[in-house]
């Protein structure tokens, strides 16, 4: 497991997070396309009309290298951005969580933008082999912005809130022809934008727990999501610096 994670890390600089998890060997081949996105929760709250950012405006609003000291920020290439139907789940209500894990803007965004932020290890001089391996375990966060029209952002946020409750006991994520077992979706506390949600997600990888963090917040008609993983096998804290930087750019 440790070797496969390190090997995957070398080639993982622009690969989707859903495929990264299944590439660790935790899934089984499947031709099942899984469930589709369930209807948004009726609990979506109404809000005053807000601006819907264009694709060009999203690109300016998403975090960049200059916004995050101590991180390497990379723009996703078109070939690395998954379509919404590239990832599915065995339980329709869990699709929004799977989308968040896969850097897919939940629901029906008018436009979206993606970045990847890698926390750089603090080393001085030439890194030893041990330090180099440690760098491969540095937290990597996929940042996704989605711009929505009408009540789309509120509805997408509501569907994520429902998924966090309905899928707390786990579900199966299906992507790239692989099935990956999500064992647990545990709530955490986050504060950003107009409303925010966060979870620790436990995935079964070769019979061992693989912990990642998922955070989402809504600011007006824009939804920001952050999925953080480490090839060391566990992420211990939310990517607060990235969340704060992104919230500041959307304020």
């Amino acid at each position: 497991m440790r070797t496969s994670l390190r090997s995957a890390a070398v080639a993982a600089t622009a690969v989707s997070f859903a495929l990264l998890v299944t590439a660790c060997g935790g899934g089984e081949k499947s031709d099942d396309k899984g469930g589709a996105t369930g209807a948004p929760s009726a609990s979506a709250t109404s809000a005053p009309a807000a601006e819907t950012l264009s694709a060009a405006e999203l690109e300016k609003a998403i975090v960049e290298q200059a916004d995050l000291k101590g991180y390497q920020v990379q723009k996703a290439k078109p070939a690395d951005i998954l379509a919404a139907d590239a990832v599915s789940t065995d339980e329709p209500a869990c699709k929004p969580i799977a989308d968040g894990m896969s850097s897919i803007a939940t629901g029906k965004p008018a436009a979206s933008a993606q970045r990847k932020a890698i926390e750089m290890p603090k080393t001085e001089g030439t890194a030893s082999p041990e330090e180099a391996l440690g760098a491969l375990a540095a937290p990597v966060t996929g940042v996704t912005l989605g711009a929505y029209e009408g009540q789309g952002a509120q509805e997408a946020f509501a569907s994520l809130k429902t998924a966090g409750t309905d899928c707390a006991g786990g579900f199966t994520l299906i992507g790239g022809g692989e099935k990956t077992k999500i064992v647990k979706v545990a709530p955490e506390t986050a504060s950003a934008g107009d409303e925010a949600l966060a979870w620790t997600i436990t995935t079964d990888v070769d019979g061992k727990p693989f912990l990642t963090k998922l955070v989402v917040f809504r600011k007006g008609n824009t939804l920001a999501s952050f999925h953080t993983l480490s090839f060391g096998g566990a992420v211990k804290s939310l990517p607060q610096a990235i969340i704060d930087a992104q919230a500041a750019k959307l304020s």
Side-chain angles (χ1 to χ4, degrees):
M1 171 63 184
R2 188 179 298 275
T3 301
S4 64
L5 284 171
R6 290 170 179 170
S7 298
V10 176
T13 54
V15 182
S16 90
F17 287 107
L19 301 185
L20 282 177
V21 174
T22 56
C24 293
E28 59 185 75
K29 290 291 183 179
S30 170
D31 293 327
D32 182 7
K33 294 183 179 179
T37 305
S41 167
S43 63
T45 58
S46 60
E51 178 187 6
T52 298
L53 300 180
S54 66
E57 289 170 329
L58 276 185
E59 287 295 327
K60 293 180 179 179
I62 198 166
V63 288
E64 298 287 3
Q65 186 69 63
D67 305 311
L68 288 168
K69 184 179 180 180
Y71 290 81
Q72 182 183 85
V73 180
Q74 300 174 356
K75 181 177 180 179
K77 297 177 182 178
D80 302 320
I81 300 173
L82 294 179
D85 60 2
V87 172
S88 57
T89 58
D90 63 336
E91 297 290 340
C94 303
K95 177 66 158 64
I97 297 289
D99 286 344
M101 296 175 66
S102 309
S103 293
I104 296 172
T106 300
K108 298 180 179 180
S112 63
Q114 291 84 12
R115 294 290 186 273
K116 182 175 64 176
I118 307 169
E119 186 174 339
M120 303 305 292
K122 297 176 176 64
T123 59
E124 296 181 4
T126 303
S128 67
E130 291 76 15
E131 289 171 331
L133 289 174
L136 295 180
V140 181
T141 299
V143 182
T144 304
L145 293 187
Y148 299 78
E149 297 177 343
Q151 294 293 307
Q154 289 89 336
E155 292 169 355
F157 186 90
S159 72
L160 281 155
K161 186 174 183 179
T162 298
T165 299
D166 292 353
C167 307
F171 61 95
T172 299
L173 185 153
I174 305 162
E178 301 275 353
K179 284 185 176 181
T180 299
K181 181 60 181 176
I182 309 303
V183 178
K184 185 178 181 180
V185 178
E188 290 214 22
T189 300
S191 178
D194 299 327
E195 49 187 348
L197 295 165
W199 304 271
T200 293
I201 298 175
T202 304
T203 301
D204 183 339
V205 178
D206 292 339
K208 297 181 180 181
F210 185 83
L211 273 61
T212 66
K213 303 286 187 181
L214 178 61
V215 182
V216 59
F217 75 78
R218 180 184 66 82
K219 179 64 177 178
N221 282 354
T222 301
L223 210 63
S225 65
F226 312 81
H227 183 233
T228 305
L229 62 80
S230 165
F231 290 100
V235 177
K236 298 180 180 180
S237 60
L238 301 181
Q240 197 60 53
I242 304 174
I243 295 168
D244 291 344
Q246 185 59 79
K249 293 196 74 170
L250 289 174
S251 63

